[in-house]
Amino acid sequence: MRSSEGDDAYVEFVDASRSTLLAYAWLLSGDGHVAEELVQETFVRLYVRWRKVRAGRPLAYARRTLSNLHTDRWRSRRREEPRAEVPETAYTSDPVTTDLVRALQQLSPRERECVVLRHYLDLSEKETAATLGISVGSVKSYTSRGLAGLRPLLAVTEEEPHA
């Protein structure tokens, strides 16, 4: 394989997967700039291993890399003092999406990863476990706790009909 052929395949992969990975990173981080940084770093790491990864499942590898980068990021910031309010740094001004991102930020990082992978990216429990490097039972547990935590945060109050 010539280098340019590998580069062309890599560029095609980046073009095809960028929006999916960016949405995943944004839902995990709640910050558009951080999401872009995570995706860029993911693509850099993927490029370094592209010859080996391209024959397998490059999107799965990219998701796992992105998840690991996100985990490394929140672990390194764990000593910072948490705030009561999430800053207004959402990637969009859509109120429904902004509310979802704020609610996701209330979950633990692992719960957030499991909920996003399972219900936004529609991965199976097995694929989610492989992406995060945890057991299927842990995926079930984190997802269940995450959804239970989201329900009260996203509860929609029904308006009573006007007489």
Side-chain angles (χ1 to χ4, degrees):
M1 171 177 78
R2 291 188 345 233
S3 177
S4 64
E5 289 174 9
D7 289 347
D8 291 343
Y10 175 77
V11 169
E12 287 176 27
F13 173 80
V14 168
D15 289 341
S17 63
R18 178 184 308 275
S19 61
T20 300
L21 292 173
L22 188 57
Y24 174 48
W26 178 66
L27 286 169
L28 289 179
S29 68
D31 183 317
H33 298 292
V34 171
E36 289 174 7
E37 290 174 10
L38 288 169
V39 171
Q40 289 300 321
E41 181 64 23
T42 297
F43 285 142
V44 167
R45 292 185 182 197
L46 181 66
Y47 184 75
V48 171
R49 300 194 42 94
W50 182 246
R51 286 182 184 237
K52 292 180 182 180
V53 172
R54 107 177 238 201
R57 297 177 48 212
L59 185 57
Y61 182 87
R63 279 193 308 258
R64 174 107 189 228
T65 301
L66 195 147
S67 295
N68 289 344
L69 287 168
H70 177 258
T71 300
D72 291 347
R73 184 177 177 278
W74 65 256
R75 279 184 182 156
S76 67
R77 295 175 15 141
R78 191 171 18 187
R79 291 184 182 92
E80 292 182 13
E81 190 151 327
R83 299 181 192 171
E85 290 287 322
V86 176
E88 288 291 329
T89 57
Y91 195 71
T92 182
S93 60
D94 177 17
V96 174
T97 307
T98 303
D99 289 345
L100 174 62
V101 171
R102 283 187 184 145
L104 284 168
Q105 295 303 307
Q106 301 301 313
L107 302 178
S108 75
R110 193 57 91 190
E111 290 170 352
R112 184 170 50 243
E113 289 172 338
C114 287
V115 167
V116 170
L117 287 169
R118 291 278 296 125
H119 296 285
Y120 181 77
L121 296 181
D122 203 28
L123 297 183
S124 69
E125 290 167 342
K126 185 176 179 181
E127 291 170 323
T128 300
T131 297
L132 298 175
I134 59 177
S135 71
V136 172
S138 293
V139 168
K140 290 179 182 180
S141 177
Y142 285 124
T143 303
S144 174
R145 284 188 298 216
L147 290 174
L150 285 176
R151 282 186 191 101
L153 298 172
L154 296 174
V156 177
T157 58
E158 293 183 30
E159 293 183 24
E160 297 200 17
H162 298 286

